[in-house]
Every structure is written in C-alpha cells, then in structure tokens.
Short mmCIF file of all heavy atoms in Angstrom, two decimals:
data_model
loop_
_atom_site.label_atom_id
_atom_site.label_comp_id
_atom_site.label_asym_id
_atom_site.label_seq_id
_atom_site.Cartn_x
_atom_site.Cartn_y
_atom_site.Cartn_z
N VAL A 29 79.55 95.96 103.51
CA VAL A 29 79.08 97.34 103.75
C VAL A 29 78.36 97.94 102.41
O VAL A 29 77.44 98.65 102.44
CB VAL A 29 80.17 98.26 104.30
CG1 VAL A 29 79.76 99.68 104.28
CG2 VAL A 29 80.63 97.74 105.58
N ILE A 30 79.15 97.82 101.30
CA ILE A 30 78.65 98.34 99.98
C ILE A 30 77.22 97.79 99.74
O ILE A 30 76.29 98.54 99.40
CB ILE A 30 79.55 97.95 98.88
CG1 ILE A 30 80.84 98.72 98.96
CG2 ILE A 30 78.89 98.11 97.56
CD1 ILE A 30 80.77 100.09 98.37
N ALA A 31 77.05 96.49 99.97
CA ALA A 31 75.68 95.84 99.67
C ALA A 31 74.71 96.46 100.62
O ALA A 31 73.47 96.74 100.20
CB ALA A 31 75.82 94.38 99.71
N LYS A 32 74.90 96.57 101.80
CA LYS A 32 73.94 97.03 102.78
C LYS A 32 73.57 98.52 102.55
O LYS A 32 72.43 98.94 102.61
CB LYS A 32 74.45 96.82 104.22
CG LYS A 32 74.55 95.39 104.59
CD LYS A 32 75.06 95.20 105.97
CE LYS A 32 75.23 93.62 106.31
NZ LYS A 32 73.85 93.00 106.26
N LEU A 33 74.60 99.31 102.23
CA LEU A 33 74.30 100.78 101.91
C LEU A 33 73.43 100.88 100.61
O LEU A 33 72.60 101.73 100.44
CB LEU A 33 75.58 101.53 101.65
CG LEU A 33 76.34 101.72 103.07
CD1 LEU A 33 77.76 102.39 102.81
CD2 LEU A 33 75.50 102.63 104.00
N ASN A 34 73.81 100.03 99.56
CA ASN A 34 73.10 100.01 98.38
C ASN A 34 71.54 99.58 98.65
O ASN A 34 70.72 100.21 98.01
CB ASN A 34 73.56 99.03 97.28
CG ASN A 34 74.84 99.45 96.75
OD1 ASN A 34 75.15 100.71 96.76
ND2 ASN A 34 75.69 98.60 96.12
N ASP A 35 71.39 98.69 99.56
CA ASP A 35 70.00 98.23 99.94
C ASP A 35 69.22 99.49 100.57
O ASP A 35 68.05 99.53 100.52
CB ASP A 35 70.08 97.10 100.87
CG ASP A 35 70.46 95.77 100.14
OD1 ASP A 35 70.36 95.75 99.03
OD2 ASP A 35 70.80 94.82 100.88
N ARG A 36 70.01 100.35 101.20
CA ARG A 36 69.35 101.47 101.85
C ARG A 36 69.04 102.66 100.86
O ARG A 36 68.69 103.75 101.23
CB ARG A 36 70.17 102.01 102.99
CG ARG A 36 70.24 101.16 104.20
CD ARG A 36 71.23 101.64 105.26
NE ARG A 36 71.16 101.12 106.58
CZ ARG A 36 71.52 100.08 107.03
NH1 ARG A 36 72.20 99.20 106.17
NH2 ARG A 36 71.41 99.67 108.32
N GLY A 37 69.48 102.44 99.57
CA GLY A 37 69.32 103.42 98.53
C GLY A 37 70.39 104.51 98.37
O GLY A 37 70.18 105.38 97.65
N HIS A 38 71.57 104.26 98.96
CA HIS A 38 72.69 105.18 98.75
C HIS A 38 73.48 104.88 97.52
O HIS A 38 73.56 103.67 97.01
CB HIS A 38 73.58 105.13 100.00
CG HIS A 38 72.79 105.58 101.27
ND1 HIS A 38 72.48 106.82 101.52
CD2 HIS A 38 72.59 104.77 102.39
CE1 HIS A 38 71.88 106.86 102.77
NE2 HIS A 38 71.98 105.63 103.25
N GLU A 39 74.20 105.84 97.07
CA GLU A 39 75.15 105.73 95.94
C GLU A 39 76.50 105.35 96.56
O GLU A 39 77.06 106.12 97.35
CB GLU A 39 75.31 106.92 95.06
CG GLU A 39 76.34 106.82 94.14
CD GLU A 39 76.61 108.24 93.33
OE1 GLU A 39 75.81 109.20 93.69
OE2 GLU A 39 77.60 108.25 92.62
N THR A 40 77.04 104.21 96.13
CA THR A 40 78.29 103.77 96.82
C THR A 40 79.51 103.58 95.83
O THR A 40 79.20 103.34 94.65
CB THR A 40 78.10 102.43 97.51
OG1 THR A 40 77.69 101.46 96.66
CG2 THR A 40 77.15 102.54 98.73
N VAL A 41 80.65 103.92 96.29
CA VAL A 41 81.87 103.70 95.52
C VAL A 41 82.83 102.97 96.31
O VAL A 41 83.35 103.27 97.33
CB VAL A 41 82.51 105.15 95.29
CG1 VAL A 41 83.86 104.93 94.45
CG2 VAL A 41 81.58 106.07 94.53
N PRO A 42 83.16 101.73 95.68
CA PRO A 42 84.11 100.82 96.42
C PRO A 42 85.52 101.29 96.05
O PRO A 42 85.78 101.38 94.88
CB PRO A 42 83.85 99.42 95.91
CG PRO A 42 83.20 99.70 94.56
CD PRO A 42 82.47 100.98 94.64
N ALA A 43 86.26 101.72 97.11
CA ALA A 43 87.70 102.30 96.78
C ALA A 43 88.70 101.33 97.34
O ALA A 43 88.65 101.07 98.56
CB ALA A 43 87.74 103.64 97.39
N ALA A 44 89.65 100.96 96.48
CA ALA A 44 90.72 100.12 96.80
C ALA A 44 91.79 100.18 95.71
O ALA A 44 91.46 100.71 94.66
CB ALA A 44 90.19 98.62 96.92
N PRO A 45 92.98 99.70 96.03
CA PRO A 45 93.97 99.66 94.86
C PRO A 45 93.48 99.00 93.56
O PRO A 45 93.67 99.47 92.47
CB PRO A 45 95.14 98.91 95.61
CG PRO A 45 95.02 99.26 96.95
CD PRO A 45 93.52 99.32 97.32
N SER A 46 92.65 98.01 93.79
CA SER A 46 92.24 97.39 92.54
C SER A 46 91.06 98.19 91.86
O SER A 46 90.92 97.90 90.64
CB SER A 46 91.49 95.94 92.98
OG SER A 46 90.34 96.21 93.80
N THR A 47 90.62 99.31 92.46
CA THR A 47 89.65 100.10 91.66
C THR A 47 90.37 101.48 91.36
O THR A 47 89.75 102.39 91.01
CB THR A 47 88.48 100.38 92.56
OG1 THR A 47 88.63 101.07 93.75
CG2 THR A 47 87.77 99.01 92.86
N GLY A 48 91.68 101.46 91.66
CA GLY A 48 92.42 102.71 91.17
C GLY A 48 92.53 103.70 92.34
O GLY A 48 93.00 104.89 92.08
N VAL A 49 92.25 103.34 93.48
CA VAL A 49 92.33 104.16 94.67
C VAL A 49 93.33 103.67 95.78
O VAL A 49 93.10 102.59 96.21
CB VAL A 49 90.96 104.55 95.31
CG1 VAL A 49 91.09 105.45 96.50
CG2 VAL A 49 89.91 105.02 94.44
N ASP A 50 94.33 104.45 95.99
CA ASP A 50 95.40 104.04 96.90
C ASP A 50 95.62 105.04 98.01
O ASP A 50 96.16 106.14 97.68
CB ASP A 50 96.76 103.84 96.15
CG ASP A 50 97.71 103.12 96.95
OD1 ASP A 50 97.75 103.32 98.30
OD2 ASP A 50 98.67 102.40 96.53
N THR A 51 95.17 104.72 99.14
CA THR A 51 95.20 105.75 100.31
C THR A 51 96.66 105.95 100.77
O THR A 51 96.90 106.96 101.33
CB THR A 51 94.36 105.32 101.42
OG1 THR A 51 94.67 104.01 101.88
CG2 THR A 51 92.88 105.41 101.12
N LEU A 52 97.55 105.04 100.57
CA LEU A 52 98.97 105.18 100.87
C LEU A 52 99.59 106.28 100.05
O LEU A 52 100.34 107.06 100.54
CB LEU A 52 99.67 103.95 100.88
CG LEU A 52 99.66 103.02 102.14
CD1 LEU A 52 100.51 101.72 101.91
CD2 LEU A 52 100.17 103.74 103.34
N THR A 53 99.42 106.25 98.77
CA THR A 53 100.04 107.12 97.81
C THR A 53 99.13 108.39 97.59
O THR A 53 99.68 109.47 97.06
CB THR A 53 100.42 106.47 96.58
OG1 THR A 53 99.16 106.06 95.89
CG2 THR A 53 101.23 105.26 96.74
N GLY A 54 97.80 108.23 97.86
CA GLY A 54 96.84 109.32 97.45
C GLY A 54 96.39 109.17 96.06
O GLY A 54 95.45 109.92 95.60
N GLU A 55 96.81 108.20 95.29
CA GLU A 55 96.42 107.98 93.99
C GLU A 55 94.86 107.73 93.80
O GLU A 55 94.41 106.88 94.54
CB GLU A 55 97.09 106.88 93.36
CG GLU A 55 96.66 106.52 91.82
CD GLU A 55 97.38 105.29 91.24
OE1 GLU A 55 98.07 104.71 91.97
OE2 GLU A 55 97.05 104.97 90.15
N GLY A 56 94.11 108.52 93.10
CA GLY A 56 92.62 108.35 92.75
C GLY A 56 91.78 108.84 93.87
O GLY A 56 90.54 108.82 93.68
N LEU A 57 92.31 109.29 94.96
CA LEU A 57 91.42 109.75 96.01
C LEU A 57 90.65 110.92 95.68
O LEU A 57 89.42 110.94 95.86
CB LEU A 57 92.30 110.10 97.29
CG LEU A 57 92.56 109.11 98.29
CD1 LEU A 57 93.46 109.63 99.54
CD2 LEU A 57 91.35 108.50 98.84
N SER A 58 91.18 111.97 95.08
CA SER A 58 90.41 113.17 94.75
C SER A 58 89.22 112.86 93.87
O SER A 58 88.12 113.24 94.12
CB SER A 58 91.27 114.20 94.10
OG SER A 58 92.35 114.65 95.00
N ALA A 59 89.45 112.02 92.88
CA ALA A 59 88.41 111.61 91.99
C ALA A 59 87.29 110.82 92.62
O ALA A 59 86.11 111.06 92.35
CB ALA A 59 89.04 110.85 90.70
N ALA A 60 87.73 109.89 93.41
CA ALA A 60 86.73 109.02 94.10
C ALA A 60 85.88 109.83 95.15
O ALA A 60 84.60 109.46 95.21
CB ALA A 60 87.53 107.88 94.86
N LEU A 61 86.47 110.86 95.74
CA LEU A 61 85.68 111.54 96.80
C LEU A 61 84.89 112.68 96.28
O LEU A 61 84.10 113.31 96.94
CB LEU A 61 86.64 112.09 97.83
CG LEU A 61 87.50 111.05 98.61
CD1 LEU A 61 88.34 111.83 99.69
CD2 LEU A 61 86.60 110.07 99.26
N ALA A 62 84.99 113.04 94.95
CA ALA A 62 84.25 114.11 94.43
C ALA A 62 82.81 113.96 94.55
O ALA A 62 82.18 112.89 94.14
CB ALA A 62 84.62 114.33 92.92
N GLY A 63 82.23 114.89 95.30
CA GLY A 63 80.75 114.87 95.39
C GLY A 63 80.20 113.92 96.58
O GLY A 63 79.01 113.81 96.78
#
C-alpha cells in the first residue's frame, strides 16, 4: 500500500511497532498522525 500511494504522489508514513508506533498502547500515535 505504501508503494502504491507513493506512486500516486502522496506522502506516506509506515506505522508499526518497529517504527515506534504501537496502536495497542498508543505509543507514537500522536506524532505519527500529526498533519
């Protein structure tokens, strides 16, 4: 999905525990969603 959205010219942010975003705990969510 990231690759296909990039091809469409969008700015993408891959969010996962490995990138510091954990939806179970909420860690990193606010920073990732800014803007």
Side-chain angles (χ1 to χ4, degrees):
V29 171
I30 290 279
K32 291 178 183 297
L33 290 172
N34 286 342
D35 288 344
R36 287 171 163 87
H38 299 291
E39 175 192 353
T40 57
V41 177
S46 62
T47 67
V49 180
D50 190 330
T51 53
L52 272 180
T53 65
E55 179 185 0
L57 266 181
S58 295
L61 298 185

